[in-house]
Amino acid sequence: MSPAITIRAGKAALARIASDGLRAADVSVVPAAAGGPKGLVLNGLDKWLFGEWLPGTPRARQFIGASIGAWRMAAAMHFDPAAAFDRLARLYAGQRYPKNPSAEYVTAVCRTLVADFVGGRAGEILSHPNHRLAVLAVRGRGPLAQPGSRRAEMLGFALASAANAMGRARLAGYLDRVVFHDPRDGLAWMHGGFDAFHTQFAPLSEANLREALLASGSIPLVLEAVGGISGAPHGAYWDGGIIDYHLHLPYPRAGGIVLYPHFADHIVPGWLDKAWRWRRARGEWLDNVMLVAPSAEFVATLPNGKLPDRKDFARYGLDHDARIRDWTRAVAESERMGEAFARWVEKPDPAVIQPID
């Protein structure tokens, strides 16, 4: 297998692939993680998956994401996914900020980014004949229900972080999961309760698509909370990755193969769990998941020998052109990931697949 990618899978997914190979007809769900600029490295893989391979075998599928993952899945819903992914990468890499920008300033930049990305295509995104979009965000409760000031927001998230440190379930006292979904598909597999978080559902529409995408990527204290979202429960909304960083969801309920293009070879349930290796996701929820990620060898060839990340804004400072150049190079290099996975799908070798851990 090409050193550009690594493949991991749960037991049921591995057994199915060993028997039948990986068939587009078997893919029922595609998740997409939060992670900011890290998502740029999946551009080439995304273009092949959503622009060539999956459309060749039409069937009902659900694309679900948080933060940049939600933006990527919105790109996948376009009539021309490859062009949409390239537009998203260009707009995302092109962000420019002054030194120490306010949350208001960053929010305005990201609002413009989302508006330019969606453009007049909201109806197109929400009318795909086979694919259905779901966008994850969080809604504050308790001290985060309506913080009212930056100081109150800081205190609320400090308390939420401390609660999460004592146990992920304790975070549910501060945040609800909200799923903005295509009204043609209620995501039955996410109903009925599956973890400590109260999960609410709101239908996507042309009236709220932009705000839902913005809310899904609104990092607390970096961006302002999003409120007044049409058709959604009243409240303050932030980045869906706080609860669902890498989307550890009850995938066996959905059936089929869950094909996960990811920038990491492991799954961390929530953003606040990143520091603790022992909180990485394992178990039956990943049984039907196949995860495709950049290999360590591939990452070593990227600028600075790493994935693009939010720390690059500080690393490059006001030298925006240098950051944009290096992020753009990482996007170009990602074509190798798409080519590598396409070759593997053509001649699948189960022996190279590792377990998810």
Side-chain angles (χ1 to χ4, degrees):
M1 186 175 65
S2 167
I5 58 172
T6 183
I7 300 176
R8 295 181 179 269
K11 291 180 180 178
L14 180 57
R16 193 161 183 171
I17 293 164
S19 173
D20 304 317
L22 180 64
R23 303 176 303 191
D26 294 332
V27 176
S28 60
V29 177
V30 181
K38 295 183 182 73
L40 294 173
V41 80
L42 299 172
N43 185 265
L45 178 58
D46 284 340
K47 290 197 294 183
W48 181 77
L49 286 176
F50 300 106
E52 298 183 38
W53 189 56
L54 292 177
T57 307
R59 62 154 288 179
R61 297 186 180 95
Q62 295 164 338
F63 298 163
I64 180 169
S67 197
I68 194 172
W71 299 5
R72 287 173 46 227
M73 294 302 92
M77 298 292 294
H78 282 70
F79 296 158
D80 186 348
F85 278 112
D86 281 342
R87 184 170 70 256
L88 176 60
R90 183 179 68 255
L91 290 168
Y92 196 97
Q95 295 176 77
R96 293 173 181 264
Y97 297 100
K99 186 177 181 179
N100 300 321
S102 65
E104 181 181 17
Y105 189 98
V106 179
T107 299
V109 170
C110 289
R111 188 179 295 279
T112 299
L113 191 164
V114 171
D116 290 345
F117 167 60
V118 174
R121 302 177 179 87
E124 177 182 325
I125 292 169
L126 297 174
S127 63
H128 196 285
N130 301 303
H131 300 157
R132 307 291 184 258
L133 176 65
V135 174
L136 295 171
V138 301
R139 175 176 171 266
R141 60 185 304 171
L144 290 172
Q146 289 290 345
S149 70
R150 181 176 177 84
R151 183 174 181 179
E153 184 179 338
M154 290 176 67
L155 176 60
F157 276 105
L159 293 170
S161 181
N164 185 80
M166 292 185 285
R168 174 169 160 81
R170 294 175 180 259
L171 185 60
Y174 296 85
L175 297 167
D176 291 338
R177 173 189 291 116
V178 181
V179 184
F180 293 90
H181 64 94
D182 190 312
R184 298 172 296 176
D185 188 331
L187 280 87
W189 60 277
M190 289 190 69
H191 285 264
F194 53 86
D195 62 10
F197 297 96
H198 179 51
T199 300
Q200 302 188 65
F201 295 83
L204 280 170
S205 67
E206 293 189 42
N208 69 15
L209 176 62
R210 292 184 186 182
E211 292 299 285
L213 290 171
L214 179 63
S216 186
S218 291
I219 303 166
L221 304 174
V222 177
L223 281 82
E224 298 174 311
V226 177
I229 302 178
S230 175
H234 178 74
Y237 288 78
W238 289 277
D239 196 314
I242 304 170
I243 291 177
D244 296 307
Y245 184 45
H246 292 174
L247 282 69
H248 185 213
L249 302 172
Y251 296 118
R253 292 184 182 183
I257 293 288
V258 175
L259 179 60
Y260 194 165
H262 191 15
F263 52 77
D265 66 353
H266 57 272
I267 294 173
V268 177
W271 188 85
L272 294 169
D273 301 319
K274 291 191 301 179
W276 298 300
R277 185 181 179 88
W278 60 87
R279 289 198 180 180
R280 289 185 180 182
R282 296 175 177 84
E284 61 183 14
W285 282 11
L286 304 179
D287 203 36
N288 62 331
V289 173
M290 178 179 182
L291 186 152
V292 184
S295 67
E297 294 87 350
F298 171 80
V299 173
T301 69
L302 299 178
N304 304 309
K306 68 174 189 63
L307 300 177
D309 60 43
R310 281 204 304 125
K311 292 179 181 179
D312 286 341
F313 287 112
R315 175 194 289 265
Y316 289 89
L318 297 180
D319 192 354
H320 305 300
D321 289 342
R323 175 183 52 77
I324 293 168
R325 178 200 66 214
D326 287 348
W327 282 12
T328 301
R329 181 184 149 197
V331 170
E333 292 293 331
S334 73
E335 297 289 340
R336 292 194 284 128
M337 289 183 62
E339 293 165 359
F341 192 54
R343 288 194 298 269
W344 186 89
V345 168
E346 184 177 356
K347 294 183 179 179
D349 179 7
V352 305
I353 300 177
Q354 304 174 63
I356 299 177
D357 58 22

